[in-house]
Amino acid sequence: MTIYRSRDGLRHQFRDVLNFYYPACLDTATGGYVAQLDERDGHVYDARTKHLVATARGVHNFSLGVLADGPHWCEYAAEHGLQFLSNAHWDDERRGYDWLLDGRTATDRTRYCYGHAFVLLAGARAYQAGIPDARAVLERAFDVLEERFWEPDHDLYADRATPEWRTVSSYRGANANMHACEALLAAYEATGDDRYLDRAYTVADRFTREVTSATDGLLWEHYTEEWEPDLSYNEDQPRHQFRPPGYQPGHHVEWAKLLALLSDYRPAGWLRERARDLFDTAIDLGWDDDHGGLYYTVEDDGEPIVPDKYGWVHAEAIGASALLSRDDESYVDWYDRLWEYAQEHLINRRFGNWYERLTREHDRDGPNHGPEVEPGYHPLANCWLAARALEDDPDLFETDRERRD
């Protein structure tokens, strides 16, 4: 039985991840965060590059630290990052968030829905945590998403635009809409404003039930302007960093998590049924029976395309299994199994942070030393969700007293 069925176990892992990034991540000279920490020993390999997603995720992480009664410095760290996000990343002339900075100088101003969704998420969690000016960040990000990316003819968001907003790409992506749904749910939790919940429900319903009917309910990643699946997209680049071809078990479990959360606020029976279906599909297609763990990308019959094991995939599966366990105790077994796998292979035993990627056989082939976008966001978010699930139904989990006894 895993130690992560207890509040103490989850709190310990949560703080380990925060402690890996703090205080090294604080850029006190330029502002914002230094996200490029080597996952093996924590040394900074790039102190200049500031990625919009990494900045927003950092604000989210430290805001969760406040909400989870974490270390006292979480509030300062969240406020520090939020100020940089709302000033350095924001292009006031063109009214959008810059994608990539060198220090405080924009080097890529492409407008990504994905990035703006994470700003909305950061603003929502910071507002929940009582960070000053967070509500303004939340509302500004939502306004940009609605005015620039929302397509009412499709009830989904477009993917990206040029810096001056003159041209919107014909590419349509599942990932941007998934994270927009996540951020909208957080905005609803923070504010109680139904417009965020309504939009989250619309995106979830449209994508996970209607769009995916073209691929027998499986979640394809890449679409045309009319939201038809582009099955040949990047087929010659199976290891593309952000947009690989194939089906991703990790996104199936991530959507399962979001549908389970959405069902807490909307009494629609299909939500939990579809959540279970997506989680079960991820396991059926993606679990490596020989070496353990979930593949990164697969064909529709489960044949692996990229058999690597990513930390974020398993963190999301943990969060999803915790939430699904509230209705079906069989998912507790997967919760345990996933934590055991993470402990054995994915968690750095020295520092407690999670490795980004392993080979199928769990070898580390060297860190990715490009611009960082994952400063512990997935394990922190899903530790927090697991703790919420424990509070909702403590009988499904071992209590702290039982563990001590």
Side-chain angles (χ1 to χ4, degrees):
M1 184 178 291
T2 175
I3 63 170
Y4 299 110
R5 284 209 210 171
S6 74
R7 292 175 179 84
D8 285 348
L10 289 168
R11 187 181 299 115
H12 183 75
Q13 170 61 191
F14 188 92
R15 290 196 176 205
D16 277 353
V17 176
L18 285 178
N19 285 328
F20 176 77
Y21 290 95
Y22 183 90
C25 75
L26 293 188
D27 186 342
T28 56
T30 305
Y33 304 123
V34 176
Q36 286 76 228
L37 273 62
D38 185 280
E39 62 185 11
R40 297 164 298 183
D41 59 18
H43 79 266
V44 174
Y45 62 84
D46 173 4
R48 296 284 304 173
T49 303
K50 307 293 174 68
H51 197 294
L52 176 61
V53 174
T55 301
R57 285 176 168 179
V59 173
H60 161 276
N61 293 351
F62 291 117
S63 297
L64 284 193
V66 176
L67 292 170
D69 195 26
H72 64 89
W73 36 258
C74 286
E75 184 173 356
Y76 164 73
E79 185 173 355
H80 176 84
L82 188 73
Q83 291 302 313
F84 188 84
L85 181 65
S86 60
N87 294 311
H89 276 287
W90 175 249
D91 180 351
D92 198 52
E93 178 183 353
R94 301 170 184 84
R95 310 300 292 174
Y97 284 94
D98 293 334
W99 185 244
L100 208 60
L101 309 178
D102 177 12
R104 299 180 72 92
T105 302
T107 57
D108 184 350
R109 284 197 154 116
T110 305
R111 310 301 179 200
Y112 285 95
C113 175
Y114 179 80
H116 286 73
F118 273 105
V119 177
L120 176 60
L121 179 67
R125 293 304 184 211
Y127 182 62
Q128 274 185 291
I131 306 303
D133 303 321
R135 183 67 182 260
V137 173
L138 183 163
E139 292 177 351
R140 185 165 67 183
F142 180 69
D143 288 345
V144 176
L145 285 167
E146 292 296 293
E147 293 169 12
R148 296 296 190 175
F149 293 105
W150 182 249
E151 296 187 311
D153 290 345
H154 298 289
D155 279 342
L156 290 167
Y157 290 100
D159 192 78
R160 69 183 184 273
T162 53
E164 297 80 12
W165 301 105
R166 293 194 184 112
T167 304
V168 175
S169 169
S170 61
Y171 173 87
R172 297 293 180 271
N175 201 22
N177 282 275
M178 181 182 70
H179 284 292
C181 182
E182 174 192 28
L184 290 161
L185 276 170
Y188 172 71
E189 291 179 344
T191 66
D193 190 331
D194 284 339
R195 62 178 172 158
Y196 301 121
L197 180 62
D198 291 343
R199 183 65 84 225
Y201 183 87
T202 298
V203 170
D205 188 14
R206 174 78 174 107
F207 182 74
T208 67
R209 291 210 291 177
E210 297 180 31
V211 171
T212 58
S213 64
T215 48
D216 295 327
L218 298 179
L219 308 183
W220 190 248
E221 300 289 324
H222 316 294
Y223 294 84
T224 68
E225 197 168 8
E226 296 302 315
W227 280 97
E228 297 293 332
D230 186 350
L231 298 176
S232 64
Y233 188 87
N234 275 351
E235 62 183 359
D236 60 340
Q237 300 182 67
R239 292 184 176 271
H240 192 280
Q241 183 178 4
F242 296 114
R243 293 177 176 174
Y247 296 95
Q248 295 192 34
H251 283 165
H252 282 68
V253 295
E254 199 163 357
W255 265 115
K257 178 189 79 174
L258 294 176
L259 296 185
L261 283 171
L262 190 52
S263 71
D264 290 343
Y265 307 115
R266 278 291 174 89
W270 72 267
L271 285 165
R272 296 195 181 190
E273 179 181 352
R274 185 70 170 125
R276 290 190 293 270
D277 174 61
L278 289 173
F279 186 94
D280 295 347
T281 296
I283 297 299
D284 290 343
L285 290 182
W287 189 261
D288 184 347
D289 291 327
D290 294 326
H291 300 282
L294 289 161
Y295 298 128
Y296 181 43
T297 55
V298 298
E299 303 282 3
D300 59 6
D301 61 358
E303 181 67 23
I305 300 173
V306 177
D308 296 352
K309 313 295 169 60
Y310 277 70
W312 72 264
V313 172
H314 297 83
E316 290 300 325
I318 284 168
S321 61
L323 293 175
L324 292 173
S325 295
R326 299 176 302 174
D327 295 321
D328 186 338
E329 292 187 24
S330 67
Y331 290 99
V332 176
D333 293 336
W334 273 110
Y335 179 84
D336 289 343
R337 189 171 181 180
L338 288 158
W339 268 120
E340 289 163 2
Y341 177 83
Q343 274 191 294
E344 183 175 356
H345 300 293
L346 294 169
I347 299 174
N348 184 338
R349 297 182 184 182
R350 182 179 175 190
F351 295 108
N353 61 300
W354 288 49
Y355 295 129
E356 178 188 8
R357 181 188 70 247
L358 305 174
T359 67
R360 181 181 184 182
E361 296 81 12
H362 308 120
D363 295 324
R364 295 187 65 252
D365 57 355
N368 171 16
H369 274 177
E372 185 56 72
V373 297
E374 166 50 339
Y377 147 78
H378 288 282
L380 285 169
N382 288 286
C383 275
W384 190 62
L385 281 178
R388 284 172 58 179
L390 186 152
E391 292 170 0
D392 289 343
D393 194 346
D395 290 340
L396 289 174
F397 295 90
E398 162 186 44
T399 66
D400 291 336
R401 177 173 296 178
E402 286 170 340
R403 190 171 63 83
R404 288 193 297 268
D405 292 345

